[in-house]
mmCIF file with all atom_site columns, all heavy atoms in Angstrom:
data_model
loop_
_atom_site.group_PDB
_atom_site.id
_atom_site.type_symbol
_atom_site.label_atom_id
_atom_site.label_alt_id
_atom_site.label_comp_id
_atom_site.label_asym_id
_atom_site.label_entity_id
_atom_site.label_seq_id
_atom_site.pdbx_PDB_ins_code
_atom_site.Cartn_x
_atom_site.Cartn_y
_atom_site.Cartn_z
_atom_site.occupancy
_atom_site.B_iso_or_equiv
_atom_site.pdbx_formal_charge
_atom_site.auth_seq_id
_atom_site.auth_comp_id
_atom_site.auth_asym_id
_atom_site.auth_atom_id
_atom_site.pdbx_PDB_model_num
ATOM 1   N N   . ASP A 1 3  ? -44.990 59.987 41.651 1.00 89.00 ? 1044 ASP A N   1
ATOM 2   C CA  . ASP A 1 3  ? -44.783 59.376 42.958 1.00 89.00 ? 1044 ASP A CA  1
ATOM 3   C C   . ASP A 1 3  ? -45.793 58.261 43.204 1.00 89.00 ? 1044 ASP A C   1
ATOM 4   O O   . ASP A 1 3  ? -45.907 57.748 44.300 1.00 89.00 ? 1044 ASP A O   1
ATOM 5   C CB  . ASP A 1 3  ? -44.834 60.426 44.068 1.00 89.00 ? 1044 ASP A CB  1
ATOM 6   C CG  . ASP A 1 3  ? -46.198 61.067 44.224 1.00 89.00 ? 1044 ASP A CG  1
ATOM 7   O OD1 . ASP A 1 3  ? -47.045 60.926 43.321 1.00 89.00 ? 1044 ASP A OD1 1
ATOM 8   O OD2 . ASP A 1 3  ? -46.426 61.707 45.255 1.00 89.00 ? 1044 ASP A OD2 1
ATOM 9   N N   . TRP A 1 4  ? -46.527 57.870 42.159 1.00 93.00 ? 1045 TRP A N   1
ATOM 10  C CA  . TRP A 1 4  ? -47.467 56.761 42.273 1.00 93.00 ? 1045 TRP A CA  1
ATOM 11  C C   . TRP A 1 4  ? -46.687 55.460 42.370 1.00 93.00 ? 1045 TRP A C   1
ATOM 12  O O   . TRP A 1 4  ? -45.666 55.288 41.711 1.00 93.00 ? 1045 TRP A O   1
ATOM 13  C CB  . TRP A 1 4  ? -48.386 56.706 41.059 1.00 93.00 ? 1045 TRP A CB  1
ATOM 14  C CG  . TRP A 1 4  ? -49.456 57.739 41.064 1.00 93.00 ? 1045 TRP A CG  1
ATOM 15  C CD1 . TRP A 1 4  ? -49.399 58.981 40.490 1.00 93.00 ? 1045 TRP A CD1 1
ATOM 16  C CD2 . TRP A 1 4  ? -50.746 57.644 41.662 1.00 93.00 ? 1045 TRP A CD2 1
ATOM 17  N NE1 . TRP A 1 4  ? -50.581 59.655 40.696 1.00 93.00 ? 1045 TRP A NE1 1
ATOM 18  C CE2 . TRP A 1 4  ? -51.429 58.854 41.421 1.00 93.00 ? 1045 TRP A CE2 1
ATOM 19  C CE3 . TRP A 1 4  ? -51.405 56.655 42.393 1.00 93.00 ? 1045 TRP A CE3 1
ATOM 20  C CZ2 . TRP A 1 4  ? -52.719 59.088 41.870 1.00 93.00 ? 1045 TRP A CZ2 1
ATOM 21  C CZ3 . TRP A 1 4  ? -52.685 56.897 42.834 1.00 93.00 ? 1045 TRP A CZ3 1
ATOM 22  C CH2 . TRP A 1 4  ? -53.336 58.091 42.578 1.00 93.00 ? 1045 TRP A CH2 1
ATOM 23  N N   . GLN A 1 5  ? -47.191 54.526 43.203 1.00 92.00 ? 1046 GLN A N   1
ATOM 24  C CA  . GLN A 1 5  ? -46.563 53.219 43.386 1.00 92.00 ? 1046 GLN A CA  1
ATOM 25  C C   . GLN A 1 5  ? -47.628 52.131 43.273 1.00 92.00 ? 1046 GLN A C   1
ATOM 26  O O   . GLN A 1 5  ? -48.797 52.364 43.609 1.00 92.00 ? 1046 GLN A O   1
ATOM 27  C CB  . GLN A 1 5  ? -45.919 53.115 44.781 1.00 92.00 ? 1046 GLN A CB  1
ATOM 28  C CG  . GLN A 1 5  ? -44.867 54.165 45.077 1.00 92.00 ? 1046 GLN A CG  1
ATOM 29  C CD  . GLN A 1 5  ? -43.602 53.928 44.308 1.00 92.00 ? 1046 GLN A CD  1
ATOM 30  O OE1 . GLN A 1 5  ? -43.185 52.794 44.135 1.00 92.00 ? 1046 GLN A OE1 1
ATOM 31  N NE2 . GLN A 1 5  ? -42.982 54.995 43.826 1.00 92.00 ? 1046 GLN A NE2 1
ATOM 32  N N   . VAL A 1 6  ? -47.210 50.956 42.841 1.00 93.00 ? 1047 VAL A N   1
ATOM 33  C CA  . VAL A 1 6  ? -48.106 49.804 42.857 1.00 93.00 ? 1047 VAL A CA  1
ATOM 34  C C   . VAL A 1 6  ? -48.554 49.582 44.298 1.00 93.00 ? 1047 VAL A C   1
ATOM 35  O O   . VAL A 1 6  ? -47.751 49.656 45.223 1.00 93.00 ? 1047 VAL A O   1
ATOM 36  C CB  . VAL A 1 6  ? -47.385 48.555 42.310 1.00 93.00 ? 1047 VAL A CB  1
ATOM 37  C CG1 . VAL A 1 6  ? -48.214 47.308 42.530 1.00 93.00 ? 1047 VAL A CG1 1
ATOM 38  C CG2 . VAL A 1 6  ? -47.057 48.750 40.839 1.00 93.00 ? 1047 VAL A CG2 1
ATOM 39  N N   . GLY A 1 7  ? -49.839 49.372 44.494 1.00 91.00 ? 1048 GLY A N   1
ATOM 40  C CA  . GLY A 1 7  ? -50.389 49.169 45.827 1.00 91.00 ? 1048 GLY A CA  1
ATOM 41  C C   . GLY A 1 7  ? -51.036 50.409 46.405 1.00 91.00 ? 1048 GLY A C   1
ATOM 42  O O   . GLY A 1 7  ? -51.805 50.314 47.362 1.00 91.00 ? 1048 GLY A O   1
ATOM 43  N N   . ASP A 1 8  ? -50.727 51.588 45.825 1.00 91.00 ? 1049 ASP A N   1
ATOM 44  C CA  . ASP A 1 8  ? -51.392 52.807 46.281 1.00 91.00 ? 1049 ASP A CA  1
ATOM 45  C C   . ASP A 1 8  ? -52.886 52.699 45.996 1.00 91.00 ? 1049 ASP A C   1
ATOM 46  O O   . ASP A 1 8  ? -53.308 51.979 45.089 1.00 91.00 ? 1049 ASP A O   1
ATOM 47  C CB  . ASP A 1 8  ? -50.863 54.044 45.543 1.00 91.00 ? 1049 ASP A CB  1
ATOM 48  C CG  . ASP A 1 8  ? -49.499 54.489 46.018 1.00 91.00 ? 1049 ASP A CG  1
ATOM 49  O OD1 . ASP A 1 8  ? -49.098 54.114 47.135 1.00 91.00 ? 1049 ASP A OD1 1
ATOM 50  O OD2 . ASP A 1 8  ? -48.834 55.210 45.254 1.00 91.00 ? 1049 ASP A OD2 1
ATOM 51  N N   . LEU A 1 9  ? -53.660 53.433 46.758 1.00 93.00 ? 1050 LEU A N   1
ATOM 52  C CA  . LEU A 1 9  ? -55.085 53.529 46.496 1.00 93.00 ? 1050 LEU A CA  1
ATOM 53  C C   . LEU A 1 9  ? -55.321 54.807 45.702 1.00 93.00 ? 1050 LEU A C   1
ATOM 54  O O   . LEU A 1 9  ? -54.712 55.840 45.980 1.00 93.00 ? 1050 LEU A O   1
ATOM 55  C CB  . LEU A 1 9  ? -55.870 53.553 47.800 1.00 93.00 ? 1050 LEU A CB  1
ATOM 56  C CG  . LEU A 1 9  ? -55.700 52.311 48.674 1.00 93.00 ? 1050 LEU A CG  1
ATOM 57  C CD1 . LEU A 1 9  ? -56.482 52.461 49.973 1.00 93.00 ? 1050 LEU A CD1 1
ATOM 58  C CD2 . LEU A 1 9  ? -56.127 51.061 47.943 1.00 93.00 ? 1050 LEU A CD2 1
ATOM 59  N N   . ALA A 1 10 ? -56.195 54.724 44.704 1.00 94.00 ? 1051 ALA A N   1
ATOM 60  C CA  . ALA A 1 10 ? -56.488 55.855 43.829 1.00 94.00 ? 1051 ALA A CA  1
ATOM 61  C C   . ALA A 1 10 ? -57.958 56.235 43.989 1.00 94.00 ? 1051 ALA A C   1
ATOM 62  O O   . ALA A 1 10 ? -58.844 55.458 43.662 1.00 94.00 ? 1051 ALA A O   1
ATOM 63  C CB  . ALA A 1 10 ? -56.188 55.488 42.383 1.00 94.00 ? 1051 ALA A CB  1
ATOM 64  N N   . LEU A 1 11 ? -58.188 57.441 44.498 1.00 95.00 ? 1052 LEU A N   1
ATOM 65  C CA  . LEU A 1 11 ? -59.545 57.958 44.670 1.00 95.00 ? 1052 LEU A CA  1
ATOM 66  C C   . LEU A 1 11 ? -59.906 58.726 43.409 1.00 95.00 ? 1052 LEU A C   1
ATOM 67  O O   . LEU A 1 11 ? -59.256 59.711 43.064 1.00 95.00 ? 1052 LEU A O   1
ATOM 68  C CB  . LEU A 1 11 ? -59.608 58.880 45.890 1.00 95.00 ? 1052 LEU A CB  1
ATOM 69  C CG  . LEU A 1 11 ? -60.931 59.589 46.134 1.00 95.00 ? 1052 LEU A CG  1
ATOM 70  C CD1 . LEU A 1 11 ? -62.029 58.595 46.442 1.00 95.00 ? 1052 LEU A CD1 1
ATOM 71  C CD2 . LEU A 1 11 ? -60.780 60.602 47.263 1.00 95.00 ? 1052 LEU A CD2 1
ATOM 72  N N   . CYS A 1 12 ? -60.940 58.288 42.707 1.00 93.00 ? 1053 CYS A N   1
ATOM 73  C CA  . CYS A 1 12 ? -61.331 58.923 41.455 1.00 93.00 ? 1053 CYS A CA  1
ATOM 74  C C   . CYS A 1 12 ? -61.988 60.273 41.724 1.00 93.00 ? 1053 CYS A C   1
ATOM 75  O O   . CYS A 1 12 ? -62.897 60.382 42.543 1.00 93.00 ? 1053 CYS A O   1
ATOM 76  C CB  . CYS A 1 12 ? -62.295 58.022 40.685 1.00 93.00 ? 1053 CYS A CB  1
ATOM 77  S SG  . CYS A 1 12 ? -62.828 58.750 39.125 1.00 93.00 ? 1053 CYS A SG  1
ATOM 78  N N   . ILE A 1 13 ? -61.507 61.312 41.032 1.00 94.00 ? 1054 ILE A N   1
ATOM 79  C CA  . ILE A 1 13 ? -62.087 62.653 41.156 1.00 94.00 ? 1054 ILE A CA  1
ATOM 80  C C   . ILE A 1 13 ? -62.628 63.141 39.814 1.00 94.00 ? 1054 ILE A C   1
ATOM 81  O O   . ILE A 1 13 ? -63.001 64.298 39.670 1.00 94.00 ? 1054 ILE A O   1
ATOM 82  C CB  . ILE A 1 13 ? -61.053 63.662 41.703 1.00 94.00 ? 1054 ILE A CB  1
ATOM 83  C CG1 . ILE A 1 13 ? -59.815 63.722 40.807 1.00 94.00 ? 1054 ILE A CG1 1
ATOM 84  C CG2 . ILE A 1 13 ? -60.678 63.321 43.145 1.00 94.00 ? 1054 ILE A CG2 1
ATOM 85  C CD1 . ILE A 1 13 ? -58.866 64.855 41.143 1.00 94.00 ? 1054 ILE A CD1 1
ATOM 86  N N   . LYS A 1 14 ? -62.686 62.259 38.819 1.00 87.00 ? 1055 LYS A N   1
ATOM 87  C CA  . LYS A 1 14 ? -63.158 62.623 37.477 1.00 87.00 ? 1055 LYS A CA  1
ATOM 88  C C   . LYS A 1 14 ? -64.678 62.660 37.460 1.00 87.00 ? 1055 LYS A C   1
ATOM 89  O O   . LYS A 1 14 ? -65.334 61.665 37.689 1.00 87.00 ? 1055 LYS A O   1
ATOM 90  C CB  . LYS A 1 14 ? -62.647 61.601 36.468 1.00 87.00 ? 1055 LYS A CB  1
ATOM 91  C CG  . LYS A 1 14 ? -63.335 61.595 35.112 1.00 87.00 ? 1055 LYS A CG  1
ATOM 92  C CD  . LYS A 1 14 ? -62.766 62.616 34.189 1.00 87.00 ? 1055 LYS A CD  1
ATOM 93  C CE  . LYS A 1 14 ? -63.273 62.476 32.779 1.00 87.00 ? 1055 LYS A CE  1
ATOM 94  N NZ  . LYS A 1 14 ? -64.631 62.907 32.554 1.00 87.00 ? 1055 LYS A NZ  1
ATOM 95  N N   . LEU A 1 15 ? -65.220 63.836 37.163 1.00 84.00 ? 1056 LEU A N   1
ATOM 96  C CA  . LEU A 1 15 ? -66.661 63.993 37.025 1.00 84.00 ? 1056 LEU A CA  1
ATOM 97  C C   . LEU A 1 15 ? -67.076 63.802 35.575 1.00 84.00 ? 1056 LEU A C   1
ATOM 98  O O   . LEU A 1 15 ? -66.290 64.033 34.658 1.00 84.00 ? 1056 LEU A O   1
ATOM 99  C CB  . LEU A 1 15 ? -67.092 65.382 37.493 1.00 84.00 ? 1056 LEU A CB  1
ATOM 100 C CG  . LEU A 1 15 ? -66.896 65.698 38.968 1.00 84.00 ? 1056 LEU A CG  1
ATOM 101 C CD1 . LEU A 1 15 ? -67.194 67.166 39.239 1.00 84.00 ? 1056 LEU A CD1 1
ATOM 102 C CD2 . LEU A 1 15 ? -67.788 64.819 39.828 1.00 84.00 ? 1056 LEU A CD2 1
ATOM 103 N N   . GLY A 1 16 ? -68.298 63.410 35.356 1.00 77.00 ? 1057 GLY A N   1
ATOM 104 C CA  . GLY A 1 16 ? -68.818 63.307 33.993 1.00 77.00 ? 1057 GLY A CA  1
ATOM 105 C C   . GLY A 1 16 ? -68.429 62.033 33.294 1.00 77.00 ? 1057 GLY A C   1
ATOM 106 O O   . GLY A 1 16 ? -67.954 61.078 33.903 1.00 77.00 ? 1057 GLY A O   1
ATOM 107 N N   . THR A 1 17 ? -68.618 62.037 31.969 1.00 75.00 ? 1058 THR A N   1
ATOM 108 C CA  . THR A 1 17 ? -68.364 60.841 31.172 1.00 75.00 ? 1058 THR A CA  1
ATOM 109 C C   . THR A 1 17 ? -66.879 60.687 30.870 1.00 75.00 ? 1058 THR A C   1
ATOM 110 O O   . THR A 1 17 ? -66.131 61.658 30.855 1.00 75.00 ? 1058 THR A O   1
ATOM 111 C CB  . THR A 1 17 ? -69.134 60.895 29.843 1.00 75.00 ? 1058 THR A CB  1
ATOM 112 O OG1 . THR A 1 17 ? -68.735 62.069 29.139 1.00 75.00 ? 1058 THR A OG1 1
ATOM 113 C CG2 . THR A 1 17 ? -70.633 60.935 30.065 1.00 75.00 ? 1058 THR A CG2 1
ATOM 114 N N   . TRP A 1 18 ? -66.484 59.460 30.628 1.00 74.00 ? 1059 TRP A N   1
ATOM 115 C CA  . TRP A 1 18 ? -65.122 59.153 30.223 1.00 74.00 ? 1059 TRP A CA  1
ATOM 116 C C   . TRP A 1 18 ? -65.093 59.097 28.701 1.00 74.00 ? 1059 TRP A C   1
ATOM 117 O O   . TRP A 1 18 ? -66.050 58.686 28.074 1.00 74.00 ? 1059 TRP A O   1
ATOM 118 C CB  . TRP A 1 18 ? -64.694 57.808 30.800 1.00 74.00 ? 1059 TRP A CB  1
ATOM 119 C CG  . TRP A 1 18 ? -64.521 57.825 32.276 1.00 74.00 ? 1059 TRP A CG  1
ATOM 120 C CD1 . TRP A 1 18 ? -65.518 57.742 33.208 1.00 74.00 ? 1059 TRP A CD1 1
ATOM 121 C CD2 . TRP A 1 18 ? -63.312 57.944 32.990 1.00 74.00 ? 1059 TRP A CD2 1
ATOM 122 N NE1 . TRP A 1 18 ? -64.983 57.789 34.471 1.00 74.00 ? 1059 TRP A NE1 1
ATOM 123 C CE2 . TRP A 1 18 ? -63.629 57.910 34.373 1.00 74.00 ? 1059 TRP A CE2 1
ATOM 124 C CE3 . TRP A 1 18 ? -61.987 58.059 32.623 1.00 74.00 ? 1059 TRP A CE3 1
ATOM 125 C CZ2 . TRP A 1 18 ? -62.655 58.006 35.365 1.00 74.00 ? 1059 TRP A CZ2 1
ATOM 126 C CZ3 . TRP A 1 18 ? -61.023 58.151 33.618 1.00 74.00 ? 1059 TRP A CZ3 1
ATOM 127 C CH2 . TRP A 1 18 ? -61.368 58.122 34.961 1.00 74.00 ? 1059 TRP A CH2 1
ATOM 128 N N   . THR A 1 19 ? -63.968 59.497 28.123 1.00 72.00 ? 1060 THR A N   1
ATOM 129 C CA  . THR A 1 19 ? -63.819 59.434 26.668 1.00 72.00 ? 1060 THR A CA  1
ATOM 130 C C   . THR A 1 19 ? -62.511 58.730 26.320 1.00 72.00 ? 1060 THR A C   1
ATOM 131 O O   . THR A 1 19 ? -61.590 58.669 27.132 1.00 72.00 ? 1060 THR A O   1
ATOM 132 C CB  . THR A 1 19 ? -63.804 60.840 26.042 1.00 72.00 ? 1060 THR A CB  1
ATOM 133 O OG1 . THR A 1 19 ? -62.737 61.588 26.613 1.00 72.00 ? 1060 THR A OG1 1
ATOM 134 C CG2 . THR A 1 19 ? -65.124 61.560 26.276 1.00 72.00 ? 1060 THR A CG2 1
#
Side-chain angles (χ1 to χ4, degrees):
D1044 66 345
W1045 284 93
Q1046 302 288 322
V1047 171
D1049 284 340
L1050 299 178
L1052 175 64
C1053 180
I1054 58 170
K1055 164 84 171 74
L1056 295 172
T1058 58
W1059 291 80
T1060 58

